[in-house]
Amino acid sequence: MFNIIQKMKPKTRTQHGNKMGKKKLAQDVNPNLQKNLDTLKVVYSYPDNTDFLIRELFISGLNKKAAILFISTITDFKLIDEHIIAPLLNNKDENIPIHNIITIQSIENKHTIQDTMKDINSGNAALFIEGEKQAYSVNVANFEGRGIENPENETVVKGPKESFNEKAFTNISLIRKRLKNENLVIENSVVSQRSNNVVYTLYIKDITSEKLLENVRERLNTLDVDAIQNLSLLEQYIEERKYSLFPTVLYTERPDRAVSFLEDGYIVLLMDNSPDSIVLPATFWSFFHTSEDHYLRFMYGNFTRLLRIFALFITIFTSSIYISVVTFHIEMIPPDLLLAIAASREKVPFPAVIEVLLMEVAFELIREAGLRVPSPIGPTIGIVGALILGQAAVEANIVSPIVVIVVALSGLSSFAVGDISMNFTIRILRFGFILAASVFGIYGMTAVFTLGLFYMISLKSFGVPYLSPLTPKYKSSGDTVFRRVLQHETFRPGYVKPKDITKR
Amino acid sequence: MGEPKDKIGIKEYIAIALFMIGTKTTDDIPSMLFDSLQNAGWIAPIISGILAILPLFLLLHIAANYQDKSLIDIIYHIFGKFLGFLVLFFLWAIGFFYIVLDTATYTDIISTMYFVKTPAILIYATLMGVCAYGAKRGLEQIGSVSWSVLPYLQVSLFLSLILTIGQGNLGFLFPVFGPGEWDVLKESTMKISLYMDFLYLFMLFPFVKSTKDFKKGTWIAFFLILINLSITMVSYVMLFDYKSVMLLNYPYHETIRSISLGFLTNIETLFFPFWLIASFIKFAAYLYINIMLFGKLFKIEHFEYIMPAFATLIVFLGLLPESPTFAIFDLKAMVGNLASPLFFFLPIIMWTLAKFKGDLRK
């Protein structure tokens, strides 16, 4: 009995606490100005909280006391001065509504303290007037951020060079600039309870499938967390298989790419504080493609695709093929090459696996460290890394020269796959294949490959099979490993179930 | 999971059929045919193929008449509960026995031709592990995987054939009828069990998108398999001549050992992975169909959960024969002799009974 009471206790307390909190927030605006100010002073810890400001004034024409409340760091001072305070003080007219005094484009009436606070938190100024049962919320928000810059991860030689920045409105404007259509809808929903982070869902009304949209909305609405600062975190909340090696949500910093997905019936998510967008659903191919594949002419674009798929296979398989050939299938190497390899490995005291793993780990370390070093000493680290780990390791007979070639080749090729998530996937997969090759040679590698293929094909991203349209087949423009001539890309991908499948 | 939710398309269905039957040319089936038919071995797939058209046609006719029913339901319907159960159980037992023997053969191929020092049980366990995983994923995944890799495997097979025929001797094919026309006909008839797996494929009937797709797919797969089988067997004779090909247990693997490509003199390891992928998929499909039948027989709805158990059982059963290369060869021939009449006469009996019941409308 006692146990039960103890267990019940914290539960009831939190319930009570929630109720109290809601009551307090849902309080109506009081006609008594001082009472409102007192409530808000407590909520915002007024004198301690240095950037929360209250400007009290007297509206001469109306003969009323008033107060303007705002957070100075996220508002535009000049706007408040010139367009709110000055007109109010200079007013002589007695029967004029507030909306006609203030000269700012957007004013809303708020009836509860809670709503007013929400607006203050997002950069608005709140105007309270003695004797009125409402507050005026004036849009003077001005958040600091950087301007539009070049994309850093998805660079192209040919094509637009704008990238998203941390302001959602700028990003939406970049998208609207490319897609001038009234059917582009931008919904917003608050996804976190405490920080009130807003996610903007973008889609084209007469193309995007209702079912897909419902699926995304549901996932966004069922989130129950205090804060989701940006899209990179949101991605991990809404994806299906959290432990999977393969990414199922595409992440792009290029507005042109996001727009081309929107035009195909995909859904794009944007958020403040994220210099990128999320594209849903994603298939394996969307990670493999880049926007430049389509900007380059047919032959050139497909040539880069060919190189990329080649690089993908080299990254995953070279090291493991080297190990399995050297340890299990020596007969397949032509005799002269075999002798050369044998001679170079003669002095190395390790089995091939250890040798390759040493170099692979070293390469990954250089790569990771290279990302984190302060930029002034970056080049030095590169030279030291390459020299010491390449040249010196060979001279010290720790690795054979051919392993340096193999590892460098697979390491360099991994950069050809631009998408960060897919890049990680293939880098980790490589180690799986190395281990399989060291145990069972080609047999082990094929076993792991088949397992991986079965796994990959069973993956789904928001109900879309991972390898579609390759298999299962859907009506689409067939943009998989290679792309077609633009005039022949006449269908939207059928797997996202667009309302209108033909592109004209 | 249980039964598949989405249906598979015609491409996936053809790919599965090709993997289940087409891969037979790369194991010890050719040597079984060469054993009795000498250099006329390559005619056997054609003659038994022509014979197999009749049961296939009847099966398709029956299946099209009972829309949305799989072969399992049709057999229950035609034979009644008790007799139907017996027929299906017999089919399942033959299928299961065949999987055990076939996986043992493939393990033997890998361990005698490629990994001589590795213990057979490890090779076997890996093989069945991958297959069980694939089978557990379900039919759609097996179909999709089959279709996505099929073009590459087919290219690799044809590359090896082109190289073989280039180095072979056309004269080895003559006399065309080897031991004599009558013998060829008689022995080929006995080998109709080559196409026995189509009987099992009919259990997938309700899971293929449309009846038309299934019909078309079955015929396309059938002719592709027929062509694949005979061309590969022709190339074996051309490369080795009949005396030595009769001695070889796994002619495909001897073939890829004997051919060379430019400066590469040993290229078997180039073809080996492709063949392995084909085998993994083949047994995943076999296992799936077999366990699905088992699940239907004993009313196990989520039959995918018993796959690991069966895979383990298969490993231990398959390891029982002491000298697999010979013991399994003989056992397989025995199962073949049992399966051939079953495959030929079961559809005829079914068709007659269905006709008798008045279910067949023209």
Side-chain angles (χ1 to χ4, degrees):
Chain A
M1 189 63 195
F2 187 67
N3 269 346
I4 295 171
I5 293 172
Q6 268 203 332
K7 271 184 191 168
M8 299 263 293
K9 248 187 175 172
K11 222 178 182 179
T12 45
R13 193 180 289 161
T14 49
Q15 275 175 356
H16 190 63
N18 274 344
K19 264 185 193 167
M20 278 288 281
K22 270 188 185 161
K23 223 180 190 177
K24 198 170 143 196
L25 291 171
Q27 191 180 319
D28 285 341
V29 175
N30 201 307
N32 185 341
L33 175 64
Q34 201 51 47
K35 270 196 178 163
N36 289 330
L37 291 185
D38 288 345
T39 320
L40 284 166
K41 276 178 185 171
V42 173
V43 174
Y44 281 101
S45 346
Y46 172 53
D48 302 334
N49 210 349
T50 45
D51 65 348
F52 177 71
L53 299 182
I54 299 176
R55 167 76 159 88
E56 295 189 56
L57 48 88
F58 186 78
I59 310 173
S60 49
L62 301 177
N63 251 344
K64 277 177 183 170
K65 272 209 283 184
I68 304 168
L69 290 82
F70 57 95
I71 300 175
S72 61
T73 42
I74 54 174
T75 45
D76 191 337
F77 271 160
K78 221 177 159 190
L79 277 179
I80 298 179
D81 270 353
E82 290 176 7
H83 298 275
I84 306 177
I85 300 180
L88 285 177
L89 290 178
N90 298 336
N91 178 46
K92 299 276 183 293
D93 212 330
E94 285 177 23
N95 300 317
I96 185 166
I98 294 294
H99 285 259
N100 293 357
I101 303 177
I102 292 173
T103 52
I104 279 180
Q105 48 177 334
S106 140
I107 305 180
E108 279 179 57
N109 296 359
K110 298 285 167 188
H111 295 277
T112 64
I113 296 281
Q114 185 197 10
D115 288 349
T116 321
M117 272 164 48
K118 252 190 195 167
D119 280 12
I120 295 177
N121 290 344
S122 44
N124 286 15
L127 172 65
F128 287 90
I129 294 171
E130 177 74 48
E132 288 201 21
K133 270 191 164 177
Q134 59 189 1
Y136 299 91
S137 163
V138 189
N139 187 1
V140 287
N142 178 28
F143 287 90
E144 296 300 332
R146 61 183 174 124
I148 298 168
E149 285 164 22
N150 286 354
E152 285 187 356
N153 301 324
E154 298 170 65
T155 44
V156 297
V157 179
K158 189 180 175 189
K161 294 185 179 57
E162 279 174 336
S163 83
F164 287 133
N165 67 10
E166 281 83 354
K167 285 186 191 168
F169 285 129
T170 318
N171 298 348
I172 292 172
S173 135
L174 286 176
I175 285 179
R176 284 251 189 227
K177 186 168 92 177
R178 291 169 171 80
L179 219 166
K180 291 170 181 129
N181 190 311
E182 68 282 0
N183 284 315
L184 172 63
V185 179
I186 294 153
E187 284 180 12
N188 57 357
S189 47
V190 178
V191 285
S192 60
Q193 321 305 340
R194 202 172 265 278
S195 301
N196 291 320
N197 302 103
V198 180
V199 172
Y200 299 89
T201 313
L202 280 68
Y203 59 93
I204 298 182
K205 199 168 56 188
D206 56 350
I207 295 178
T208 308
S209 127
E210 221 42 69
K211 213 174 144 196
L212 181 65
L213 203 57
E214 214 37 63
N215 188 347
V216 173
R217 277 190 199 129
E218 196 191 306
R219 275 198 221 180
L220 288 177
N221 292 336
T222 48
L223 292 176
D224 186 24
V225 276
D226 264 357
I228 300 175
Q229 222 187 71
N230 50 40
L231 285 175
S232 328
L233 300 171
L234 181 75
E235 174 191 352
Q236 295 171 54
Y237 278 108
I238 59 172
E239 69 183 349
E240 272 148 89
R241 302 192 187 214
K242 322 258 185 234
Y243 294 100
S244 169
L245 202 52
F246 293 91
T248 50
V249 170
L250 179 71
Y251 203 75
T252 178
E253 56 173 357
R254 301 185 57 89
D256 49 324
R257 193 146 191 241
V259 168
S260 72
F261 275 114
L262 276 175
E263 282 164 346
D264 276 346
Y266 289 76
I267 293 172
V268 168
L269 301 184
L270 289 173
M271 251 178 108
D272 266 320
N273 310 314
S274 316
D276 28 46
S277 62
I278 275 184
V279 178
L280 309 169
T283 62
F284 174 78
W285 309 110
S286 53
F287 295 102
F288 173 69
H289 297 161
T290 69
S291 48
E292 198 170 14
D293 300 343
H294 271 87
Y295 297 148
L296 291 174
R297 290 185 57 238
F298 173 74
M299 288 304 279
Y300 314 156
N302 279 333
F303 178 67
T304 48
R305 289 263 179 99
L306 185 71
L307 283 181
R308 198 173 310 132
I309 194 96
F310 210 59
L312 186 98
F313 279 105
I314 287 180
T315 311
I316 299 180
F317 293 122
T318 20
S319 310
S320 42
I321 286 180
Y322 172 77
I323 292 173
S324 43
V325 165
V326 168
T327 37
F328 290 95
H329 316 282
I330 311 165
E331 75 284 348
M332 82 174 286
I333 315 174
D336 293 346
L337 182 60
L338 183 64
L339 287 176
I341 294 177
S344 73
R345 292 209 59 219
E346 199 178 28
K347 288 178 185 167
V348 178
F350 306 118
V353 202
I354 305 287
E355 213 185 329
V356 169
L357 275 180
L358 263 179
M359 281 313 279
E360 289 281 6
V361 171
F363 190 91
E364 290 294 323
L365 283 176
I366 295 177
R367 187 173 181 167
E368 183 59 25
L371 271 179
R372 315 286 164 210
V373 274
S375 42
I377 53 169
T380 335
I381 292 286
I383 293 165
V384 168
L387 270 183
I388 290 185
L389 287 162
Q391 193 74 16
V394 169
E395 274 173 20
N397 290 330
I398 290 176
V399 293
S400 55
I402 196 155
V403 166
V404 178
I405 300 176
V406 166
V407 171
L409 188 66
S410 84
L412 282 181
S413 301
S414 75
F415 289 103
V417 177
D419 187 86
I420 299 174
S421 306
M422 193 44 80
N423 197 283
F424 270 110
T425 307
I426 60 171
R427 272 160 62 197
I428 297 172
L429 270 181
R430 189 175 48 162
F431 285 100
F433 278 106
I434 288 176
L435 292 182
S438 67
V439 181
F440 270 129
I442 294 275
Y443 181 52
M445 283 172 62
T446 320
V448 172
F449 177 78
T450 317
L451 281 182
L453 203 60
F454 267 113
Y455 178 69
M456 213 160 104
I457 276 176
S458 65
L459 279 181
K460 276 185 177 168
S461 163
F462 290 81
V464 171
Y466 205 50
L467 278 187
S468 52
L470 176 72
T471 172
K473 197 185 175 314
Y474 285 95
K475 199 171 189 181
S476 74
S477 291
D479 191 10
T480 53
V481 177
F482 296 111
R483 77 167 176 92
R484 296 183 192 164
V485 180
L486 287 185
Q487 282 76 6
H488 294 169
E489 294 199 330
T490 45
F491 295 113
R492 297 201 165 81
Y495 43 87
V496 292
K497 310 256 161 36
K499 285 178 192 162
D500 178 12
I501 197 156
T502 39
K503 290 186 199 175
R504 278 169 295 267
Chain B
M1 193 163 55
E3 286 190 357
K5 282 179 223 120
D6 292 330
K7 297 194 167 188
I8 57 172
I10 180 168
K11 285 177 176 171
E12 282 85 2
Y13 171 66
I14 294 176
I16 292 182
L18 273 174
F19 278 118
M20 282 179 69
I21 309 170
T23 43
K24 285 187 180 180
T25 178
T26 61
D27 53 31
D28 58 353
I29 296 285
S31 69
M32 227 172 255
L33 299 176
F34 287 128
D35 238 13
S36 47
L37 294 175
Q38 299 170 1
N39 69 336
W42 61 274
I43 302 181
I46 300 177
I47 293 182
S48 52
I50 292 170
L51 281 173
I53 290 178
L54 178 67
L56 268 182
F57 179 79
L58 290 179
L59 277 174
L60 276 175
H61 188 62
I62 298 169
N65 258 288
Y66 295 96
Q67 291 283 352
D68 294 331
K69 276 190 181 174
S70 78
L71 189 70
I72 303 170
D73 303 322
I74 297 174
I75 288 182
Y76 267 129
H77 178 79
I78 291 180
F79 288 97
K81 246 198 168 148
F82 179 70
L83 217 58
F85 182 84
L86 277 187
V87 171
L88 284 173
F89 187 78
F90 191 59
L91 273 179
W92 173 78
I94 285 189
F96 185 71
F97 201 48
Y98 196 77
I99 294 180
V100 173
L101 294 177
D102 227 17
T103 46
T105 310
Y106 278 64
T107 309
D108 189 48
I109 294 175
I110 298 167
S111 64
T112 54
M113 308 290 290
Y114 301 95
F115 290 85
V116 189
K117 288 179 194 158
T118 317
I121 186 164
L122 286 182
I123 292 174
Y124 210 148
T126 315
L127 176 71
M128 286 321 290
V130 176
C131 297
Y133 180 81
K136 202 167 173 290
R137 292 270 132 186
L139 183 66
E140 300 134 58
Q141 273 70 31
I142 298 174
S144 290
V145 170
S146 318
W147 172 248
S148 56
V149 295
L150 179 70
Y152 309 101
L153 305 199
Q154 195 74 57
V155 165
S156 101
L157 178 67
F158 274 110
L159 182 65
S160 68
L161 288 185
I162 289 167
L163 291 174
T164 315
I165 291 176
Q167 289 168 32
N169 181 349
L170 202 63
F172 290 157
L173 284 180
F174 298 99
V176 175
F177 283 106
E181 289 88 339
W182 181 240
D183 278 341
V184 171
L185 200 64
K186 197 175 67 186
E187 287 295 326
S188 305
T189 317
M190 288 306 289
K191 296 295 188 281
I192 196 177
S193 65
L194 259 180
Y195 300 99
M196 167 88 175
D197 301 291
F198 271 112
L199 197 57
Y200 293 100
L201 274 171
F202 270 80
M203 290 174 189
L204 304 181
F205 179 70
F207 311 126
V208 176
K209 266 187 190 133
S210 70
T211 314
K212 211 179 116 210
D213 277 357
F214 188 83
K215 267 190 175 173
K216 219 166 107 188
T218 306
W219 289 124
I220 294 175
F222 175 72
F223 285 111
L224 282 179
I225 289 164
L226 208 151
I227 293 166
N228 264 331
L229 285 181
S230 8
I231 292 185
T232 39
M233 295 200 36
V234 166
S235 67
Y236 298 152
V237 182
M238 279 173 63
L239 188 67
F240 293 115
D241 196 5
Y242 81 102
K243 270 290 176 202
S244 30
V245 91
M246 279 167 70
L247 291 174
L248 299 175
N249 236 306
Y250 308 119
Y252 178 72
H253 301 274
E254 299 288 354
T255 306
I256 56 178
R257 285 196 157 205
S258 319
I259 53 181
S260 56
L261 177 68
F263 68 98
L264 291 169
T265 44
N266 291 300
I267 48 174
E268 74 263 25
T269 328
L270 278 185
F271 296 112
F272 179 55
F274 293 102
W275 173 79
L276 267 177
I277 293 174
S279 331
F280 284 134
I281 296 173
K282 169 188 175 140
F283 290 119
Y286 264 39
L287 200 62
Y288 181 84
I289 294 179
N290 199 261
I291 306 288
M292 187 177 79
L293 179 55
F294 186 82
K296 278 267 183 167
L297 278 175
F298 296 101
K299 313 250 176 321
I300 304 168
E301 199 186 324
H302 291 278
F303 51 82
E304 72 268 12
Y305 292 116
I306 54 175
M307 273 169 196
F310 268 87
T312 322
L313 184 67
I314 290 171
V315 172
F316 288 116
L317 286 178
L319 282 171
L320 281 181
E322 293 248 324
S323 52
T325 317
F326 301 103
I328 286 175
F329 188 80
D330 291 340
L331 281 171
K332 247 181 162 175
M334 229 174 69
V335 175
N337 287 342
L338 206 64
S340 291
L342 180 74
F343 173 54
F344 192 74
F345 289 113
L346 186 66
I348 298 180
I349 297 172
M350 280 171 69
W351 184 80
T352 323
L353 283 176
K355 192 91 184 163
F356 207 62
K357 283 193 161 189
D359 287 342
L360 298 182
R361 286 161 280 112
K362 199 60 186 174

